[in-house]
Amino acid sequence: MKKILVALVAVLFAAPSSAQFSSGNFSLDESSVYYGLRLGVNIASLTGDAPDLGSKAGLNFGGTVGLRLSDVTPIFLESGLYYTGCGASKDKTTISLNYLELPILIKYGIQASDDIAILPFIGPTFRYGLFGGKWKTSGAGKTDSFGDGKFKRADMGIKLGCGAEYNKLYLEAGYQFGITNIADWQLTNGDDASAHNGALFINLGVNF
């Protein structure tokens, strides 16, 4: 993962920087559609009745498409498709939850200077668990994280944060917290268990 991040940074800074300021290759004063690529990391955790395992770093990458919604206000609708690594890890136990993610975000553009735009955002995000997620415990081997008695594949959450763009280069940070109970097991008293995803994310990107 470290090699991938280094490669992305190299590509981003090799991109043309002499173009007129734009957010997604368009001025905040104009209507347009933009496309982008994102790559970064999640610092993920699980809350609720899931084991208290602390945080786990995971990869986060995908493509985005955005559309301006108003001719008079710089409000944008952005979506896309991501691979997102979530879970938790502590000591000798690691839970890996791999998702295909579809966010639907509302962004507001603020032109901070002639060269920089600030873009706060918020919206729902929908995830579905992929094959390959593991629940690994020392001495007990590996099992599928989405198997019986583990976690449900479907998840929904809220994603919020803020991005900054210089020409076509883009940087964002934020937090996404799950509102769907993904636990697929019961407590010793027979009640359904509760578990929710959470992740701090930092992404680099480029818009076209």
Side-chain angles (χ1 to χ4, degrees):
M1 184 174 70
K2 187 178 297 184
K3 292 182 179 179
I4 296 175
L5 292 176
V6 171
L8 176 70
V9 172
V11 170
L12 292 181
F13 284 95
S17 59
S18 60
Q20 180 182 2
F21 164 74
S22 63
S23 180
N25 203 28
F26 60 88
S27 168
L28 289 176
D29 296 328
E30 299 174 357
S31 300
S32 189
V33 175
Y34 65 92
Y35 305 91
L37 298 174
R38 305 286 185 263
L39 176 61
V41 294
N42 286 335
I43 307 300
S45 61
L46 291 167
T47 59
D49 298 317
D52 182 13
L53 295 176
S55 60
K56 176 183 179 295
L59 190 62
N60 179 37
F61 64 87
T64 65
V65 58
L67 172 67
R68 181 163 178 154
L69 299 179
S70 170
D71 292 333
V72 296
T73 305
I75 295 179
F76 308 92
L77 177 67
E78 182 179 290
S79 187
L81 202 59
Y82 287 79
Y83 164 87
T84 301
C86 295
S89 181
K90 186 176 181 180
D91 298 330
K92 298 180 180 180
T93 299
T94 299
I95 297 174
S96 299
L97 301 173
N98 303 323
Y99 290 99
L100 190 64
E101 179 180 357
L102 175 70
I104 302 176
L105 306 176
I106 295 294
K107 286 190 167 185
Y108 184 82
I110 302 168
Q111 190 159 335
S113 72
D114 291 340
D115 298 320
I116 299 173
I118 305 298
L119 297 148
F121 57 84
I122 188 171
T125 183
F126 305 90
R127 291 185 287 261
Y128 189 79
L130 302 174
F131 296 103
K134 298 297 182 183
W135 186 318
K136 179 181 177 182
T137 302
S138 179
K142 298 180 181 179
T143 58
D144 188 344
S145 294
F146 296 110
D148 293 337
K150 299 297 190 302
F151 297 96
K152 302 172 185 176
R153 292 187 183 275
D155 187 24
M156 176 181 175
I158 300 295
K159 193 171 188 177
L160 56 89
C162 188
E165 187 167 348
Y166 174 78
N167 288 331
K168 297 180 181 181
L169 305 181
Y170 182 78
L171 172 68
E172 68 179 8
Y175 190 82
Q176 51 183 334
F177 54 92
I179 59 178
T180 299
N181 179 15
I182 61 171
D184 197 20
W185 72 87
Q186 291 185 325
L187 302 174
T188 55
N189 62 6
D191 293 340
D192 290 336
S194 174
H196 296 83
N197 277 310
L200 173 69
F201 61 89
I202 301 174
N203 292 331
L204 290 170
V206 58
N207 288 336
F208 306 99

